[in-house]
Amino acid sequence: MQQSLLEGIDPEIMDEVVSRRDLFRRGASMSRMVAQGLAMGSVPVALAALAKDAFGQAPADVLDVLNFAFILENLENEFYKAVLGTSALAAQNNAFTTVRALIPASARESLGQIQKHEQQHVDFLKAVIPQFGGTPAAMSAADFDFTGGNGSGTGPFARATTELNFLLVATQAFEDTGVRAYKGQAGRLLINGNNNADIALESALRIHSVEARHAAKIRRIRRGINPTDTTLRLSGYVRGGGAAAAGAGNIANPPAEVVAALNAIYGGATSESNTQHVVFNGTSAVTIDAATLSNLDVIGDSTARTNAATQAFDEPLTKDEVIAIVRNFIKDDAARGLP
Amino acid sequence: MHKKDGDQDEPMVIGSATELMFPATRRSFVRTLLAGGTVVMLPSVFGACERREITIPGYDGPTDGPDPVTGVSFDLRSDVGIFRLLHANEQLEAAFYTAVVSSAAFSSFTADEREVFVDLRDTEIIHREFVRTALGSQALPDLRGSINMTTLNSILSSKASIIASARLFEHVGVAALNGAGKYLQDARNLLVAGKFASVEARHAAALRDMAPPAGVNANTSFAGDDIIDGTGRDVKLEAGAVLAKLASTNLLLAGTLAAAPISNAPSAAQGVATADFFPVNP
């Protein structure tokens, strides 16, 4: 794959790429802006300058992924601000007044830390996208409907504004959607021999693992409130797939649309319950079933081994799957660049 | 694959005679010789090792145990080499958690803490066996014979040191995957690495939440300001730094992993190195 990609490139361009890289290594091509960025310890400035120095323009795939991530990060950020009562829009804050009073102080502090990261992700992407030749979508608190009603304000997730368990399921589902979305897009950033893509990929992976930390913490908060629900692993894992993997048993009579959403969030073409994974060993692609490996006896019986095999791998969602999940939370999808 | 000037600068290291059984190693061996390069044969290639009775708590292999190995090297210019690095990490984690769960100190853990550590053990065993299977003949040897029992027993002596070590291992795991992804050349392998990475991040968060490092706010420790930078990005280490961290734990006997410069850096064609970001006390 890599070879064919590189072989397909004009040798003169390759020479240019290589010489630029050599310059890079020596630091000779480091522009004043990169140097200033590094000196200030400002990663976005240095990163952005570096990207521009290298090629000026990122491949369309990289920009598309960054724009997509920007929309998702705005959704998460504005959601937490509304929950915590720090949204710029009073109506969003007011919607969550009832449930806000039910959140324990310790969990509120944890949600505050998560919101801080989502804001940082928004700011980071906003700073980086223009340097890759793009324009970040203009988004504000008014663009979102956290009830999943596509603007009606009365969608199937409306109970998240009044019930703590419901709110936390929705929060966990947002985070796990984020984890799965980044995982699904990482491959599009893998463009060997492209500095821009390398930098975007590393940043995406580093944001991806932060989202996983958030999801793990929400699960632990939920388990603390519902100590007997062992679906909510204290290790923060996703065990199994579909709505069952959400651990939504503590919600009375969940609306069918919410169950369907959770099925989509923890299911999909590659469900979280998947145990078959493909590796390319340099010669051929090999599918390995993680549930039937050797030397698993210490784990226990076949149920224990299957549980371990599903929780040991988080799975991706495709871009289309993610869009189908989030579209009802974002008003005027088409205008937001969503199909 | 990406032949560049300087490829032959570093000696090729043959850590064990069996490495020469692998076609790729043999080819590289012959090529290196033809090119006038240096081949280092570590003593273990010729020295017969005494088999030893295995004494690792919770060890689940044959009773006579694997031999200690030396000079395990990583050619990080291929996906296989990067997966070998991952294999080293997963082997250490699996051996560590297996030992923790069967240690005397484990009985002093709360039920909640035990649940986490059993989940961690099970997951790391799956990871270890998955990577070993994926690598096939290129897999690392069993490193359990190379565990430094003095270090392991010292860690296992208290709950506090067990959890602190677990936090370190998980953060090295997250940082390694976050740093190595850009060097992988095949999207399928990147996807598998991503599937591991978020799981390791869940571990890391759970362990920090369970027992925050000294001075870290318990409610924000899962993703504290000491491990997430000002742009909301997680820890990351370049491969060489990962090897140094693994070596610095002293959980492996000296000489198990080959010393630099034997561990090759990924080639420039694979990706651009970036600054490491890792706390002193994760």
Side-chain angles (χ1 to χ4, degrees):
Chain A
M1 194 173 185
Q2 153 69 3
Q3 269 177 321
S4 61
L5 196 70
L6 283 179
E7 279 159 12
I9 296 175
D10 184 294
E12 274 182 36
I13 295 175
M14 265 321 285
D15 285 345
E16 175 66 2
V17 168
V18 171
S19 71
R20 274 170 186 261
R21 280 175 181 279
D22 288 343
L23 284 169
F24 247 88
R25 273 207 301 276
R26 296 203 305 270
S29 77
M30 190 186 282
S31 72
R32 209 166 49 164
M33 192 161 175
V34 177
Q36 280 173 347
L38 290 171
M40 298 189 309
S42 164
V43 177
V45 172
L47 171 70
L50 195 62
K52 199 142 195 157
D53 264 13
F55 294 106
Q57 184 107 21
D61 255 6
V62 175
L63 201 48
D64 186 65
V65 171
L66 296 178
N67 280 323
F68 182 47
F70 184 68
I71 293 169
L72 297 180
E73 295 289 359
N74 269 285
L75 168 63
E76 288 188 310
N77 187 35
E78 292 299 338
F79 168 70
Y80 286 108
K81 282 159 72 174
V83 169
L84 294 165
T86 58
S87 172
L89 198 61
Q92 296 286 27
N93 292 329
N94 294 341
F96 286 89
T97 302
T98 305
V99 79
R100 193 179 305 129
L102 303 174
I103 305 173
S106 58
R108 225 166 134 159
E109 193 172 14
S110 302
L111 295 178
Q113 181 77 354
I114 295 175
Q115 187 272 320
K116 182 171 84 180
H117 295 151
E118 309 304 1
Q119 181 70 55
Q120 288 168 338
H121 297 162
V122 166
D123 293 344
F124 178 76
L125 291 165
K126 199 173 194 168
V128 165
I129 287 170
Q131 299 300 331
F132 281 72
T135 309
M139 305 197 86
S140 75
D143 293 325
F144 302 101
D145 176 356
F146 302 116
T147 69
N150 198 14
S152 72
T154 57
F157 281 84
R159 281 165 57 190
T161 61
T162 54
E163 298 173 32
L164 182 59
N165 276 324
F166 207 114
L167 172 75
L168 292 174
V169 168
T171 307
Q172 176 196 298
F174 270 131
E175 293 296 339
D176 278 325
T177 300
V179 175
R180 300 194 69 186
Y182 275 104
K183 205 186 313 295
Q185 297 303 300
R188 296 177 66 200
L189 302 175
L190 184 68
I191 305 172
N192 284 284
N194 183 307
N195 292 359
N196 282 355
D198 290 342
I199 292 164
L201 174 56
E202 185 187 289
S203 293
L205 292 175
R206 293 173 67 185
I207 291 174
H208 162 252
S209 62
V210 171
E211 304 288 348
R213 286 178 190 269
H214 295 170
K217 175 59 179 171
I218 302 292
R219 266 180 200 263
R220 284 177 60 81
I221 291 173
R222 295 183 62 218
R223 177 70 178 274
I225 296 170
N226 307 276
T228 58
D229 189 349
T230 54
T231 309
L232 301 166
R233 306 304 297 164
L234 288 163
S235 48
Y237 291 141
V238 180
R239 177 179 281 187
N250 50 32
I251 299 173
N253 304 315
E257 297 97 322
V258 170
V259 176
L262 293 174
N263 262 319
I265 290 166
Y266 293 98
T270 311
S271 170
E272 282 288 1
S273 62
N274 174 48
T275 61
Q276 313 242 342
H277 313 282
V278 179
V279 291
F280 180 70
N281 64 15
T283 317
S284 54
V286 184
T287 301
I288 301 171
D289 185 346
T292 59
L293 297 162
S294 327
N295 305 324
L296 303 186
D297 293 351
V298 75
I299 295 173
D301 63 15
S302 70
T303 305
R305 291 199 295 269
T306 301
N307 281 339
T310 71
Q311 72 194 20
F313 295 81
D314 282 346
E315 300 295 337
L317 286 170
T318 66
K319 186 178 173 186
D320 285 349
E321 286 173 332
V322 175
I323 289 170
I325 290 164
V326 302
R327 66 180 313 143
N328 286 335
F329 295 92
I330 304 170
K331 299 176 198 169
D332 303 321
D333 337 319
R336 301 273 81 80
L338 294 172
Chain B
M1 247 196 276
H2 308 287
K3 221 145 158 32
K4 305 186 66 65
D5 295 340
D7 260 10
Q8 303 295 343
D9 285 352
E10 290 164 357
M12 179 185 181
V13 174
I14 307 294
S16 83
T18 53
E19 278 186 37
L20 292 173
M21 306 286 283
F22 305 145
T25 310
R26 264 203 315 276
R27 270 199 305 278
S28 175
F29 178 63
V30 172
R31 197 177 61 216
T32 306
L33 286 179
L34 288 174
T38 316
V39 176
V40 178
M41 289 281 191
L42 295 164
S44 60
V45 176
F46 303 109
C49 292
E50 299 272 330
R51 291 189 81 74
R52 65 171 193 174
E53 281 290 317
I54 198 80
T55 51
I56 303 168
Y59 173 74
D60 57 343
T63 50
D64 59 350
D67 293 333
V69 294
T70 55
V72 173
S73 63
F74 303 88
D75 182 346
L76 299 170
R77 292 165 300 185
S78 70
D79 287 12
V80 166
I82 289 168
F83 267 56
R84 275 169 62 85
L85 178 63
L86 188 56
H87 191 205
N89 211 22
E90 299 294 350
Q91 283 203 55
L92 276 186
E93 289 180 324
F96 173 67
Y97 291 120
T98 304
V100 167
V101 168
S102 59
S103 70
F106 199 56
S107 58
S108 70
F109 282 48
T110 66
D112 282 359
E113 290 164 347
R114 287 200 299 269
E115 179 185 310
V116 170
F117 274 85
V118 170
D119 268 1
L120 289 170
R121 177 200 65 183
D122 292 353
T123 298
E124 301 301 2
I125 288 174
I126 296 271
H127 284 177
R128 178 192 72 198
E129 292 304 314
F130 182 88
V131 179
R132 188 180 62 78
T133 305
L135 284 168
S137 64
Q138 312 272 358
L140 260 58
D142 190 337
L143 296 178
R144 287 176 292 187
S146 295
I147 299 275
N148 183 334
M149 294 309 300
T150 308
T151 304
L152 181 61
N153 287 328
S154 162
I155 294 171
L156 295 180
S157 67
S158 82
K159 182 157 105 176
S161 62
I162 287 172
I163 294 178
S165 295
R167 282 200 311 258
L168 174 62
F169 286 133
E170 296 304 333
H171 283 84
V172 171
V174 173
L177 288 160
N178 281 348
K182 61 185 179 290
Y183 296 121
L184 289 168
Q185 295 163 30
D186 188 278
R188 290 162 290 197
N189 295 337
L190 174 65
L191 177 58
V192 167
K195 292 181 183 200
F196 277 51
S198 54
V199 171
E200 304 285 348
R202 290 174 196 270
H203 299 174
L207 287 164
R208 280 180 66 101
D209 197 40
M210 175 201 286
V216 175
N217 179 328
N219 294 326
T220 59
S221 174
F222 66 98
D225 294 345
D226 55 330
I227 41 171
I228 310 299
D229 73 12
T231 59
R233 297 182 305 164
D234 213 324
V235 292
K236 66 93 19 189
L237 289 171
E238 291 290 308
V242 172
L243 287 167
K245 285 270 179 222
L246 290 181
S248 73
T249 65
N250 288 320
L251 193 59
L252 287 169
L253 294 169
T256 303
L257 303 182
I262 291 157
S263 306
N264 298 302
S267 75
Q270 283 170 264
V272 179
T274 60
D276 290 326
F277 177 72
F278 201 82
V280 179
N281 183 19

